[in-house]
Amino acid sequence: MQKIKNIAVIAHVDHGKTTLVDQLLQQSGTFAAHQEFSDRVMDSNDIEKERGITILSKNTAIIYGDHKINIIDTPGHADFGGEVERVLRMVDGVLLLVDAQEGVMPQTKFVLKKAIGFGLVPIVVVNKIDKEAAEPDRVVNEVFDLLVALEANDAQLEFPIVYAAAKNGYAKWEMEDENIDMTPLFEAILKYVPYPEGSSESPTQAQVFTLDSDNFVGRIGITRIFNGKLNKGEEFTLIKASGAKSKSRVSKLIGFRGLDRIEISEAEAGDIVAIAGFNDIDVGDSICDNTNPVALDPMHIEEPTLSVIFSVNDGPLAGTEGKHVTSNKIRERLAREMETNIAMRMEPLGDASFKVSGRGELQIGILAENMRREGFEFLLARPEVVIREENGVKLEPFEHLVVDVPSDFQGVIIEKLGKRKADMTSLIPMPDGTVRLEFEIPARGLIGLRSEFLTDTKGEGVMNHSYLEYRPYSGTVESRTQGALVSMDNGEAVAFSIFNLQARGVLFIKPQDKVYSGMVIGESSRPGDLDVNPLKGKQLTNMRTSGADEAIKLVPPRKMSLEAAMEWIEDDELVEVTPLSIRIRKRSLDANVRRRMARDKKNS
Ligand SMILES: Nc1nc2c(ncn2[C@@H]2O[C@H](COP(=O)(O)OP(=O)(O)OP(=O)(O)O)[C@@H](O)[C@H]2O)c(=O)[nH]1
Ligand SMILES: [Mg+2]
C-alpha cells in the first residue's frame, strides 16, 4: 500500500495558500520539466486568474520521497467558507497559513474553528515573514489565543509551527535559521500529519467532495476513498444524502499527479481520485460496495444567507450588447448553475425574475460575471439577507467584521458602524499606527458599507468579514446616505455637461457613454436623488465641442464593478449587466412615477 498524506491548505483570503502550493509542486520535482509554470497555477479559471483569488478548491498530488501527498488548495474568501468545511472532512491534516503581518483575520477564525471541530491538529505556517512589518511572534500568540478561545484540546494547543515566505520558496523551523527551501515544511507534513485511517481490505466507502465535468465522460466526482478500493469497470452503489441508492459502473478512474490527471485502473483507501460513470453524482454522495453498502455521514451544506433577484433587462438599451436576453435563457442558465453549485439556490418568481441565494455578494457576483462573459444581459436587484424564523422569532445572519484603519479615522468608523447596528468587541492599537477594530454586525449592515468605508478612510482602511451565526433580527439598519444623480434624457453623455455635473457629486460615466432617462450616472454629494442632464452642450457644433472637450478637465469617473454596483444600489434601483457594460438605473425609468412614489413613501 502506498504511503499517503492528505492535507488541505486553509487561511484567510490572500495569506498565500495558492502560492505555497506552487512551491510545494515545484520543489517536490513533481512538475515535469516540459510544463510551463505560471504563478498560482492552481487558480486555473479565468476569473481566478484575473482577480488573483481562489474560488473553487482544487486538488493536486505530489510525490515526496516515498510518499504521495494529496494537497487541496482552498478558497480564502468568506463566501466560499462552506466549501472549505467540506474539504476538511476529506483530509487528515491542515496547513493553517497566517500572514506574518496581518495575523489572525475573520476567515482564519472560521476555518480554524472548523478544523478544530474535525479534530485536526493544524500545522501553523506563519507566511510572508519576508515582509518588513512582519511580527511572527505576535502572530503565533494570536493563533494560540484563538485556539484557547476555541476550546482546542491539548494536542491541538501544541501545534507545530513553520515560518515561511512562500513567494520566495523557503520555509524554516526557527526564525533564526537560514533561508534555503521548503524542506522543513515537507518534513512537517510527513512528521505531523497522520496516515489515513481505514483499510483497503474492508468494503468500499468513498465520498464525493467536489464536482467537475469533462466533455468526454460527463460528470466527474472527486472523492476520498475511506475504505476498500475503487476499480475501473467495477459496479458500485451510489447513496445520496436522501438515502436513495442506484448502481453504476466506474467508466473512468482518474488520479492526480501535479497538474496532470492520469487514467488509472485502481485506487485504494486513503487516496483521492476522480471518478466518472455516475450520472447524477453529487457532493456529499457516498460510493459503496454493492454487497454491503453503508453510507458515510452526509455533509453539512451551508444554508444561503444572501439573495439577489435576477430579471430580464427591460431598459431602452436591452439587447444591444448581449446575445442571451430572454427569461427562458436566463432560467436555463441559472438552473444549470444550481446543478453543480450546491451552495446556491434558485427560485423562479414569475414576471421573468429569479431569486438566487448564496453565501455572499462575491459568490453571486461571480455567477453574474460568468454569465455576462457568456453573452447574457440581465438586471440585478439589491442583495437581501435571508431571514429565518425559529419558534416565532425572526432571525438574521450576523457577521464578524475586522477593520484596520489609521487611528485618525477610528472615531468616524465606530460612529458609522454603530448606525449599522454593529457591536464593537475589541480595539487594539497596532504597531504601524493603525488600530484594529472588531465588531459583530448584522449582515444587512454590511451591504453598501465597503464603498462608504473606503471614502471615509480615504482608501487607507481594510475591512474583512466572515459569517458568524443567525441571531434575532436587529431592527432598521441605516443604508446609503447619498442620493443618486439620475439622467433625464437619452443619448450620449457630453464632456461639457459632465464637467458641470462634477460639482454635484461623483460621476460613474465618461463622455460618449450611452445614457438613458432614469439611468443613474453618479452619486450625489447630498441625500436625495437629483435629475440631471448629461447631454447639455449638444447645441455646440461638433468642431467646437471636441475643441472645448480637450480644454476642460474631467475627474476620472468612479468605475463601478459588478459587486460594487450591487452593494451601492438601493431598493428602487437595479444594476444592468451586459457583456460590455455595468450600468445602474432606477427601477422605474419614468421620473413622474418616481416622484409620485417618493411622495407616497413620505406620506406613509
Ligand atoms: N511578501 C510576500 N508575499 C506573498 C508571499 N506568499 C504569497 N504572497 C503574495 O500574496 C498574494 C496572495 O497570494 P495567493 O497565493 O493568491 O493567496 P491565497 O491565500 O491563495 O488567496 P485566496 O485563494 O484568494 O484566498 C500574492 O500577491 C502573492 O504573491 C510571501 O511569502 N511573501
Ligand atoms: Mg488561493
Side-chain angles (χ1 to χ4, degrees):
M1 208 172 133
Q2 195 172 16
K3 290 189 187 163
I4 295 176
K5 299 278 180 177
N6 293 314
I7 57 166
V9 188
I10 58 174
H12 184 75
V13 68
D14 265 359
H15 283 192
K17 298 173 288 298
T18 307
T19 306
L20 186 92
V21 175
D22 274 359
Q23 289 297 330
L24 295 178
L25 270 167
Q26 271 180 312
Q27 296 193 23
S28 65
T30 310
F31 211 66
H34 67 270
Q35 279 174 317
E36 227 175 87
F37 201 95
S38 58
D39 274 353
R40 296 193 295 257
V41 279
M42 300 289 280
D43 285 347
S44 47
N45 83 38
D46 285 350
I47 298 185
E48 288 183 323
K49 285 208 191 84
E50 279 169 32
R51 302 200 187 188
I53 56 166
T54 305
I55 296 168
L56 295 168
S57 53
K58 282 177 247 28
N59 55 302
T60 181
I62 60 179
I63 301 297
Y64 188 76
D66 57 351
H67 280 79
K68 175 179 185 179
I69 308 175
N70 285 311
I71 306 174
I72 309 179
D73 181 25
T74 66
H77 196 282
D79 285 17
F80 312 112
E83 179 141 346
V84 180
E85 191 175 342
R86 287 192 296 277
V87 162
L88 290 174
R89 284 263 299 258
M90 302 295 127
V91 295
D92 309 298
V94 290
L95 301 182
L96 174 76
L97 266 63
V98 192
D99 183 305
Q101 179 188 355
E102 283 188 4
V104 166
M105 295 298 274
Q107 199 61 6
T108 317
K109 283 192 188 171
F110 180 88
V111 295
L112 187 59
K113 183 172 167 195
K114 299 293 172 190
I116 293 298
F118 288 118
L120 301 167
V121 178
I123 297 175
V124 173
V125 181
V126 179
N127 189 34
K128 308 199 188 185
I129 53 170
D130 59 298
K131 277 187 170 179
E132 227 158 85
E135 288 185 293
D137 292 342
R138 185 199 94 222
V139 171
V140 169
N141 286 334
E142 284 179 11
V143 175
F144 184 83
D145 292 345
L146 174 58
L147 279 165
V148 171
L150 293 172
E151 297 176 358
N153 62 31
D154 290 348
Q156 289 164 333
L157 287 176
E158 288 188 12
F159 56 89
I161 305 163
V162 175
Y163 300 90
K167 202 171 72 173
N168 305 330
Y170 61 83
K172 46 196 187 177
W173 288 108
E174 301 294 341
M175 279 302 282
E176 303 74 53
D177 297 350
E178 220 184 312
N179 304 336
I180 306 172
D181 57 19
M182 282 288 175
T183 305
L185 190 56
F186 284 114
E187 287 172 359
I189 293 168
L190 297 194
K191 184 164 173 199
Y192 293 105
V193 177
Y195 286 107
E197 286 174 6
S199 151
S200 306
E201 310 311 320
S202 309
T204 302
Q205 279 184 308
Q207 193 166 31
V208 181
F209 65 95
T210 315
L211 293 178
D212 204 345
S213 69
D214 179 303
N215 288 340
F216 299 107
V217 293
R219 241 164 129 96
I220 291 175
I222 303 182
T223 60
R224 156 90 192 254
I225 311 174
F226 287 92
N227 277 305
K229 292 179 181 163
L230 286 177
N231 292 306
K232 186 180 170 182
E234 203 180 318
E235 197 184 63
F236 290 96
T237 302
L238 182 78
I239 311 180
K240 310 207 71 81
S242 63
K245 290 181 190 159
S246 62
K247 287 182 184 171
S248 283
R249 239 165 244 296
V250 177
S251 64
K252 213 175 193 183
L253 200 59
I254 303 154
F256 298 91
R257 172 66 86 85
L259 301 180
D260 292 328
R261 291 175 165 210
I262 32 181
E263 267 203 64
I264 51 178
S265 54
E266 186 193 88
E268 53 187 7
D271 214 350
I272 291 176
V273 293
I275 70 168
F278 297 79
N279 285 332
D280 58 343
I281 200 165
D282 244 319
V283 169
D285 290 358
S286 300
I287 295 162
C288 305
D289 201 88
N290 273 347
T291 47
N292 182 22
V294 180
L296 294 154
D297 287 345
M299 284 189 192
H300 166 74
I301 308 286
E302 66 281 17
E303 287 295 317
T305 54
L306 195 86
S307 61
V308 172
I309 293 173
F310 284 56
S311 58
V312 168
N313 186 6
D314 60 0
L317 299 174
T320 57
E321 297 175 354
K323 54 179 200 274
H324 308 307
V325 288
T326 63
S327 89
N328 272 343
K329 283 276 183 195
I330 295 172
R331 185 183 52 233
E332 273 170 29
R333 175 63 181 84
L334 292 175
R336 189 149 43 86
E337 183 73 18
M338 302 309 134
E339 278 181 16
T340 51
N341 196 334
I342 57 156
M344 283 184 141
R345 307 261 189 286
M346 187 263 282
E347 180 192 339
L349 297 178
D351 66 330
S353 63
F354 308 91
K355 188 179 202 172
V356 173
S357 310
R359 247 322 164 64
E361 275 144 42
L362 182 66
Q363 192 182 43
I364 298 175
I366 281 169
L367 168 60
E369 183 66 47
N370 275 322
M371 287 174 66
R372 72 186 279 240
R373 283 168 196 227
E374 294 161 17
F376 282 87
E377 269 190 28
F378 49 91
L379 301 173
L380 297 175
R382 183 173 202 252
E384 279 178 21
V385 301
V386 176
I387 305 285
R388 275 195 218 156
E389 216 178 281
E390 260 169 44
N391 307 325
V393 184
K394 203 167 150 192
L395 303 174
E396 65 173 328
F398 270 68
E399 304 253 340
H400 170 214
L401 170 72
V402 174
V403 304
D404 288 312
V405 291
S407 48
D408 297 353
F409 300 120
Q410 149 186 354
V412 194
I413 294 302
I414 293 177
E415 191 193 326
K416 173 146 287 173
L417 283 164
K419 287 191 184 147
R420 288 174 174 259
K421 296 267 164 37
D423 258 340
M424 191 160 78
T425 54
S426 94
L427 184 161
I428 304 166
M430 303 298 268
D432 61 353
T434 64
V435 285
R436 171 164 293 183
L437 308 169
E438 302 202 21
F439 300 87
E440 293 179 355
I441 181 172
R444 276 182 304 145
L446 288 171
I447 297 173
L449 176 65
R450 192 171 298 271
S451 65
E452 288 193 17
F453 176 77
L454 287 176
T455 315
D456 289 343
T457 61
K458 308 217 170 2
E460 288 185 62
V462 180
M463 61 177 266
N464 274 287
H465 57 91
S466 171
Y467 171 73
L468 207 56
E469 61 187 358
Y470 267 82
R471 289 185 187 168
Y473 193 76
S474 58
T476 321
V477 162
E478 185 179 276
S479 55
R480 195 179 87 209
T481 41
Q482 260 83 353
L485 298 175
V486 185
S487 172
M488 49 194 206
D489 209 349
N490 302 320
E492 283 184 10
V494 173
F496 180 69
S497 68
I498 291 186
F499 176 74
N500 287 330
L501 289 173
Q502 284 177 174
R504 304 278 187 175
V506 183
L507 290 164
F508 304 156
I509 56 163
K510 55 181 194 319
Q512 266 101 55
D513 277 355
K514 291 197 182 103
V515 298
Y516 52 82
S517 174
M519 176 172 150
V520 174
I521 60 163
E523 179 181 271
S524 172
S525 42
R526 296 150 174 262
D529 293 351
L530 194 63
D531 289 325
V532 296
N533 187 349
L535 310 179
K536 254 194 293 192
K538 257 186 190 160
Q539 68 278 17
L540 301 175
T541 67
N542 279 342
M543 280 297 291
R544 280 175 57 201
T545 317
S546 54
D549 284 359
E550 278 158 34
I552 57 183
K553 219 170 148 50
L554 295 182
V555 181
R558 181 193 293 173
K559 226 172 140 19
M560 293 298 257
S561 68
L562 207 155
E563 283 113 52
M566 257 162 77
E567 280 220 324
W568 186 84
I569 57 172
E570 286 291 325
D571 286 339
D572 64 340
E573 291 158 348
L574 296 166
V575 182
E576 176 181 343
V577 183
T578 83
L580 303 180
S581 325
I582 306 283
R583 301 188 186 93
I584 297 176
R585 54 169 272 191
K586 294 312 268 190
R587 201 180 271 272
S588 162
L589 298 180
D590 185 329
N592 292 324
V593 175
R594 288 202 303 275
R595 242 168 258 140
R596 199 163 52 232
M597 283 188 335
R599 207 173 44 228
D600 290 350
K601 198 173 163 191
K602 216 170 168 185
N603 294 341
S604 71

